[in-house]
Amino acid sequence: DASELIGEHVGESKERTLKLLDKAIAHNQVLYVDEAYQISESAYGAEIIGAMMTRMTENAEDFKLIFGMYSSRVEAFLKMNPGLSRRLRVVEFPDYTPDQLLELFDRTITRQGLSIDQEARERVALILTHLYEAREEDFGNAGTVGQLSADMKRLRLKRTYSPGFSGGLWRGYAALKASISSTTNFRMIRESVE
């Protein structure tokens, strides 16, 4: 995560960055910087990119550097240093489709030793389709599926262990999401499960 590179005072960001880069170089590794746009939004972003540019030039064959960020933030990131656009190749990954999100959900709960019946699976498909259709630039894909799975587990525990909890898991989940979202589509989902 890019936040690991960002220091609290001048010089600290460069030190953190060089430490991570030197470790990757020593082991001929790939260094993946998630949420890399945070670098361009940081007061010490130029310091971080400067350290990276030095290592990218001197040790180009010794390690690989991958920056992960939302498409809308790539341009601002590349403008931080003219050498970035010459050294980096931009690859854009499309969002998962609702069917792919459902497949990922199935794998996630299976890996956790859980299962759901067909009716519940259809409701999950409906929720994932809605989330996909209402997505914005920062849509989480796998993170969205992980959050849905975590929300379901939390609501299941609440339903199981709280005597005053009224309503099933899906009603609870839909009500939770409806309180966050004011879209008509989600209200329709909530109504369909009540």
Side-chain angles (χ1 to χ4, degrees), residues 91-109:
V91 178
E92 189 167 341
F93 296 96
D95 288 330
Y96 291 131
T97 65
D99 288 341
Q100 291 169 323
L101 292 168
L102 183 59
E103 182 181 335
L104 184 58
F105 176 84
D106 289 339
R107 288 185 199 172
T108 300
I109 64 168

Side-chain angles (χ1 to χ4, degrees), residues 32-192:
Y32 178 73
V33 182
D34 197 16
E35 308 292 341
Y37 63 88
Q38 293 175 3
I39 295 169
S40 62
E41 296 173 356
S42 165
Y44 304 113
E47 186 177 308
I48 294 168
I49 294 301
M52 288 181 171
M53 294 298 291
T54 300
R55 292 298 192 263
M56 289 167 67
T57 301
E58 295 172 355
N59 303 91
E61 300 301 317
D62 300 326
F63 78 110
K64 300 299 177 220
L65 190 54
I66 299 173
F67 298 101
M69 69 190 85
Y70 300 113
S71 299
S72 64
R73 306 215 176 161
V74 170
E75 188 175 338
F77 181 82
L78 292 175
K79 286 182 178 178
M80 291 187 65
N81 185 303
L84 283 174
S85 59
R86 289 193 310 268
R87 287 176 176 83
L88 300 177
R89 181 170 50 113
V90 176
V91 178
E92 189 167 341
F93 296 96
D95 288 330
Y96 291 131
T97 65
D99 288 341
Q100 291 169 323
L101 292 168
L102 183 59
E103 182 181 335
L104 184 58
F105 176 84
D106 289 339
R107 288 185 199 172
T108 300
I109 64 168
T110 299
R111 193 172 47 250
Q112 296 171 354
L114 304 171
S115 63
I116 58 175
D117 64 21
Q118 186 57 35
E119 181 183 357
R121 189 174 186 278
E122 289 169 6
R123 290 179 181 184
V124 168
L126 186 62
I127 290 168
L128 290 171
T129 298
H130 166 73
L131 292 173
Y132 177 83
E133 290 171 354
R135 75 190 185 285
E136 294 183 7
E137 178 67 29
D138 60 351
F139 180 65
N141 286 294
T144 299
V145 170
Q147 186 62 52
L148 174 62
S149 174
D151 288 348
M152 288 173 52
K153 286 168 69 174
R154 187 173 32 261
L155 287 167
R156 179 176 176 259
L157 288 171
K158 187 172 184 176
R159 183 190 69 197
T160 303
Y161 296 107
S162 297
F165 184 70
S166 63
L169 172 66
W170 299 104
R171 279 184 284 236
Y173 185 78
L176 172 71
K177 285 298 188 184
S179 70
I180 296 169
S181 172
S182 63
T183 64
T184 303
N185 290 342
F186 207 95
R187 275 191 239 116
M188 290 180 354
I189 290 171
R190 185 185 67 209
E191 290 165 4
S192 72

